[in-house]
Amino acid sequence: MTRELVVYSGRNRPNLAPAYRLFEQLTGTSVRVEKIYHWDVEQQLIALHHARMCW
Amino acid sequence: MTSSQLALETVRHTGVFEPYPAPIAREYPNWLSAPDYSWLSFTAWPRVAMINRRVLGDDTVSWPAGLEDLCDARYRDRIGCASLVEATTVAQFAGLRIAKGDAYVEQLLDRLRANGLRIFHCNLDTREPLVREDLAALLANSSHVHVFHLEGNAVEAWLDQEEDEVGTHVEAHTVAVLKGCKEPERARDFVDFLLTAEIQSLLHACTARRP
């Protein structure tokens, strides 16, 4: 089964898509990017951590 | 990943990150990683002045050399900055408050506003008015200036570079591994990958972020 790396990213700049694609091809790990709005990223990280929603 | 160290450092004490002293990061200057390696910076962006050469010309004598210069009457109603929606603006002035004190920065902002500082919604929105409205100089990230420079519009000036000055604010895109994540080894591999010279060079070529 292909492993998946989830990247929580506050912004879409810089555009890291080329780096994601290279990492996928070199490691066989798929990369899924989920946006977290950067302005309140601190509280969202804490909430995710406590809820164990995603990891 | 974030565009600033600020958010990750703010939340570091809560223990949401799994510290990772990546081999490359251990060679970094201290300011490019958390003291416990909870977060690591991977590209830097200086906060500079975007200069409109159509207004100020090519002689750097007429360009602002520091933030204080932007309070000068010769730049009245011809300067701008992104709003506090941008973490970059927040980080720049927060850093300045630490370096020079609250009172100084509050007075500086008052003087900038009195000199007609234009406030734009975001960094992206600063570029077009610079040319369209013949503004002289804007506070911006160097990557924005780079994009604009490719279109022949502006150049960047690093402010406050004299020996006794505060220097240029340089922030950094930053990555952290989340504690308890499903794929910690893959996450660390990805961090190592981001920090390689090859990917740093790629990001510099594609996005004008400084390695």
Side-chain angles (χ1 to χ4, degrees), chain B residues 172-188:
Chain B
H173 296 278
T174 303
V175 64
V177 176
L178 297 171
K179 183 173 283 183
C181 66
K182 286 180 179 172
E183 298 283 355
E185 191 174 340
R186 289 290 189 278
R188 290 191 288 270

Side-chain angles (χ1 to χ4, degrees), chain B residues 67-106:
Chain B
L67 286 172
E68 284 285 344
D69 290 347
L70 298 179
C71 301
D72 193 281
R74 61 190 158 140
Y75 301 120
R76 183 166 183 80
D77 296 326
R78 289 189 156 189
I79 54 177
C81 180
S83 75
L84 294 176
V85 166
E86 289 283 7
T88 55
T89 305
V90 175
Q92 179 177 21
F93 286 102
L96 199 58
R97 287 176 78 149
I98 291 170
K100 302 198 75 166
D102 292 350
Y104 170 80
V105 175
E106 287 172 13

Side-chain angles (χ1 to χ4, degrees), chain B residues 41-181:
Chain B
S41 291
F42 62 95
T43 56
W45 43 263
R47 192 79 172 150
V48 299
M50 185 190 293
I51 303 295
N52 187 345
R53 288 185 300 177
R54 286 197 311 151
V55 173
L56 296 181
D58 290 331
D59 187 347
T60 57
V61 170
S62 66
W63 297 4
L67 286 172
E68 284 285 344
D69 290 347
L70 298 179
C71 301
D72 193 281
R74 61 190 158 140
Y75 301 120
R76 183 166 183 80
D77 296 326
R78 289 189 156 189
I79 54 177
C81 180
S83 75
L84 294 176
V85 166
E86 289 283 7
T88 55
T89 305
V90 175
Q92 179 177 21
F93 286 102
L96 199 58
R97 287 176 78 149
I98 291 170
K100 302 198 75 166
D102 292 350
Y104 170 80
V105 175
E106 287 172 13
Q107 289 173 13
L108 173 67
L109 289 169
D110 286 343
R111 286 184 287 127
L112 288 169
R113 290 289 285 161
N115 206 34
L117 179 75
R118 297 276 304 280
I119 307 293
F120 299 97
H121 176 68
C122 61
N123 285 318
L124 203 58
D125 288 350
T126 62
R127 300 201 305 235
E128 295 301 327
L130 180 72
V131 172
R132 189 177 62 237
E133 301 176 29
D134 273 344
L135 302 181
L138 301 172
L139 295 178
N141 303 343
S142 63
S143 54
H144 287 275
V145 185
H146 178 78
V147 171
F148 221 39
H149 183 49
L150 292 178
E151 298 169 1
N153 286 316
V155 294
E156 71 180 30
W158 287 47
L159 302 178
D160 298 309
Q161 295 298 295
E162 297 298 322
E163 194 168 337
D164 58 344
E165 295 291 349
V166 70
T168 292
H169 176 84
V170 180
E171 254 282 9
H173 296 278
T174 303
V175 64
V177 176
L178 297 171
K179 183 173 283 183
C181 66

Side-chain angles (χ1 to χ4, degrees), chain A residues 9-30:
Chain A
S9 180
R11 303 295 297 269
N12 55 8
R13 294 185 302 275
N15 180 7
L16 296 179
Y20 296 144
R21 297 295 84 79
L22 281 171
F23 184 75
E24 287 179 329
Q25 291 171 30
L26 287 169
T27 66
T29 302
S30 67

